[in-house]
Amino acid sequence: MSVQGIRSFGPDDKEKQIIQFFTPLTLILGPNGTGKTTVIEALKYITTGVMPPGATKGGAFVHDPKFANEREVKAQIRLQFHDVSGQMTIVQRSMTATQKLKQVSLKTLDGCITRRNAAGEKKSISSKCAEIDKEMISALGVSKPVLENVIFCHQEEANWPLSEGKQLKDKFDDIFASTRYVKALETIRKLKMTQDATVKEYRIETSYLKQHKDKATQLEGDLNEIQSKLISSKGSVDTIVSKLDPIENKLSQIGAKSDDIYRLQNNISSVEELKRVLAEFQNKVQEREDTLSQFKQQSRELERECEQLNRKKSELLLQVGKLEQEAQVLVDVKSQMKNTEVLLKMSETNWKPWLQKERT
């Protein structure tokens, strides 16, 4: 690792410090103020992108511009290591500290990651800090909470295992990444509650639709019965009309005979005989007219009954159309319920074994 412009390490190229780490262990010894903590802080920053506590205030992590007699000081850390796949990797992070009127302003610059394969070819990635942090986690094979709280834990925060229960739990949740599993369980629980409520609504709606379907079946039976009555009524009307035709013909013939009798009454010698014949004829005519009136009255009643049956038929056909639409909606709802049940079964199949394992 090379360090330049960090704390007591000067910003000039001549003051760049190169630290060689040995296997399996490297001990850093020295009196207070010689830079032991700075080396560890530099390692933590180059691997995680996290500065020491309070370093961002006044630029305390970067070499002070006042000591360098400069308005701006540049700092750089480079680390060379083998990643989890064995490739040689070089990561570089840079910063600048600018002396303002009353304070020092710290700015982080873009970093760079360079990998060298077995053939010696180099491949560089220049990106922002957040992307470099992800690349470093992948290269080191260790999560960021483990790097911050275990491997490069600052001495001011080293007593976190002795902290209170909630704070300790939060630390362990970060280290073992259990929060996302808790959130996943909460999401599954909310989803299940929503699906249960939806299924309950669908079941209630299904019961209502079943009642409507039964009513539609009953109305359809009533409609068929009314249609059969209507057909028989039409047959009766046709029969009555066929019976009225000969009566009307006879009435026409009687009218013709009445005219003949009227013409011949002047030639009849016996007035009384003529009156008797005329009275009998008039009685017969009256009987025929009464019969014709009765048939016409029956015809009008049958016509009114036909009109009522036609109106009722139209209403029933309208109700049948509505009920058929509701039946189609019931079919769609049943299909959606089947799909929902399949999804719920798949969800239960996926998360219940995992949940049982986590509880164990």
Side-chain angles (χ1 to χ4, degrees), residues 89-107:
T89 304
I90 300 173
V91 59
Q92 173 183 311
R93 295 180 189 264
S94 301
M95 296 171 288
T96 60
T98 304
Q99 180 66 51
K100 300 292 184 181
L101 184 60
K102 295 183 179 180
Q103 61 182 2
V104 178
S105 175
L106 182 64
K107 182 180 180 181

Side-chain angles (χ1 to χ4, degrees), residues 246-262 278 280-289:
I247 293 172
E248 289 179 352
N249 292 331
K250 286 182 180 181
L251 287 173
S252 299
Q253 293 174 3
I254 291 170
K257 286 182 180 180
S258 175
D259 294 338
D260 293 340
I261 291 170
Y262 178 75
L278 183 59
E280 290 178 356
F281 178 76
Q282 287 179 348
N283 290 333
K284 288 181 180 181
V285 169
Q286 185 64 38
E287 290 177 359
R288 298 296 183 182
E289 289 179 350

Side-chain angles (χ1 to χ4, degrees), residues 226-241:
I226 291 172
Q227 286 179 344
S228 62
K229 288 182 179 180
L230 179 61
I231 292 171
S232 63
S233 300
K234 286 182 178 179
S236 301
V237 170
D238 294 337
T239 303
I240 293 171
V241 170

Side-chain angles (χ1 to χ4, degrees), residues 33-286:
T34 55
K36 300 186 300 300
T37 305
T38 301
V39 173
I40 303 301
E41 289 174 347
L43 276 173
K44 180 178 180 180
Y45 175 70
I46 195 66
T47 54
T48 65
V50 178
M51 295 185 183
T56 57
K57 295 181 180 180
F61 187 53
V62 181
H63 191 79
D64 195 341
K66 293 179 181 180
F67 294 155
N69 295 320
E70 298 287 345
R71 182 178 176 275
E72 183 180 76
V73 171
K74 293 184 179 180
Q76 185 184 85
I77 303 174
R78 291 168 57 96
L79 178 67
Q80 177 179 308
F81 65 98
H82 291 279
D83 62 6
V84 291
S85 61
Q87 290 184 347
M88 178 63 70
T89 304
I90 300 173
V91 59
Q92 173 183 311
R93 295 180 189 264
S94 301
M95 296 171 288
T96 60
T98 304
Q99 180 66 51
K100 300 292 184 181
L101 184 60
K102 295 183 179 180
Q103 61 182 2
V104 178
S105 175
L106 182 64
K107 182 180 180 181
T108 302
L109 305 178
D110 291 347
C112 178
I113 294 180
T114 304
R115 285 189 173 89
R116 182 180 298 173
N117 55 20
E121 298 177 352
K122 292 183 179 181
K123 183 178 180 182
S124 299
I125 301 174
S126 180
S127 59
K128 294 182 179 180
C129 297
E131 298 176 1
I132 289 181
D133 294 343
K134 293 181 181 179
E135 289 291 332
M136 288 300 296
I137 291 173
S138 300
L140 294 173
V142 181
S143 64
K144 186 175 180 179
V146 174
L147 291 173
E148 292 181 359
N149 299 311
V150 180
I151 298 177
F152 297 117
C153 182
H154 197 272
Q155 60 185 3
E156 296 179 1
E157 300 177 352
N159 61 342
W160 66 262
L162 303 177
S163 58
E164 296 181 358
K166 184 179 183 305
Q167 185 178 358
L168 184 62
K169 179 182 178 301
D170 293 339
K171 287 286 186 181
F172 278 113
D173 288 343
D174 291 338
I175 292 173
F176 295 106
S178 61
T179 306
R180 58 180 178 178
Y181 297 109
V182 174
K183 290 182 179 179
L185 288 175
E186 183 66 21
T187 303
I188 292 172
R189 187 183 67 82
K190 291 180 179 179
L191 180 61
K192 185 177 182 301
M193 291 176 63
T194 304
Q195 292 293 336
D196 290 343
T198 304
V199 170
K200 185 177 180 181
E201 291 177 359
Y202 285 159
R203 285 177 179 172
I204 296 173
E205 188 173 358
T206 302
S207 63
Y208 290 148
L209 292 175
K210 188 172 184 250
Q211 293 177 3
H212 292 328
K213 182 182 177 183
D214 295 338
K215 185 178 180 181
T217 304
Q218 182 181 359
L219 291 174
E220 187 176 2
D222 295 340
L223 178 61
N224 293 331
E225 183 179 356
I226 291 172
Q227 286 179 344
S228 62
K229 288 182 179 180
L230 179 61
I231 292 171
S232 63
S233 300
K234 286 182 178 179
S236 301
V237 170
D238 294 337
T239 303
I240 293 171
V241 170
S242 63
K243 289 179 179 181
L244 286 175
D245 290 337
I247 293 172
E248 289 179 352
N249 292 331
K250 286 182 180 181
L251 287 173
S252 299
Q253 293 174 3
I254 291 170
K257 286 182 180 180
S258 175
D259 294 338
D260 293 340
I261 291 170
Y262 178 75
R263 287 192 302 266
L264 293 173
Q265 68 181 353
N266 294 326
N267 299 325
I268 297 174
S269 59
S270 178
V271 177
E272 295 295 329
E273 183 66 21
L274 181 58
K275 289 182 179 179
R276 184 183 65 77
V277 174
L278 183 59
E280 290 178 356
F281 178 76
Q282 287 179 348
N283 290 333
K284 288 181 180 181
V285 169
Q286 185 64 38

